[in-house]
Amino acid sequence: MPLWELDGTEDYKKAICHCLKTKPMYFEQLLLGYKTHEIRKNDRNFQVGDKLELREWDGGYTGRKLFFIITHITNYKQKKGFVVLSIQKQPSNIFI
């Protein structure tokens, strides 16, 4: 289902928020908009429309976090059990 069809539907309301650790070098790339995907082990059953809260981790949480929505998922040419998540940056208030 395309992302723009999720607003106001039951599918959008069922979307899960995944809180994940992100190393500082990747966090900066995400913050600046250079990085628009995540490669992750699919141990959480990621779905299009799910929310990501990516929290900067440098041996402990730094307090910085970014919010995204998963717009596309593929496992093409990935290690077994891993996926590529295409993500779109969101304003933080979408998760409040």
Side-chain angles (χ1 to χ4, degrees):
M1 175 179 298
L3 181 61
W4 59 86
E5 292 180 15
L6 294 174
D7 289 322
T9 67
E10 289 303 311
D11 289 330
Y12 183 76
K13 293 174 187 173
K14 293 178 187 173
I16 294 171
C17 183
H18 304 278
C19 298
L20 304 169
K21 296 176 186 173
T22 304
K23 293 181 180 179
M25 65 184 264
Y26 300 123
F27 188 91
E28 281 299 317
Q29 293 171 355
L30 289 160
L31 178 66
L32 296 172
Y34 299 141
K35 187 172 185 285
T36 57
H37 69 281
E38 283 286 304
I39 298 174
R40 296 284 180 153
K41 185 173 184 178
N42 195 17
D43 56 355
R44 297 168 175 254
N45 191 28
F46 295 109
Q47 300 293 314
V48 170
D50 282 358
K51 305 166 191 176
L52 296 181
E53 179 181 322
L54 300 180
R55 299 173 67 190
E56 187 178 38
W57 177 267
D58 194 12
Y61 290 112
T62 66
R64 298 198 311 167
K65 52 189 165 182
L66 295 170
F67 302 93
F68 295 87
I69 289 182
I70 299 173
T71 58
H72 183 263
I73 301 171
T74 184
N75 63 356
Y76 183 70
K77 292 200 174 189
Q78 295 303 304
K79 292 180 187 177
K80 184 177 175 136
F82 282 76
V83 291
V84 178
L85 307 172
S86 297
I87 54 177
Q88 182 179 30
K89 196 172 179 183
Q90 299 294 304
S92 60
N93 65 356
I94 195 169
F95 299 104
I96 294 175

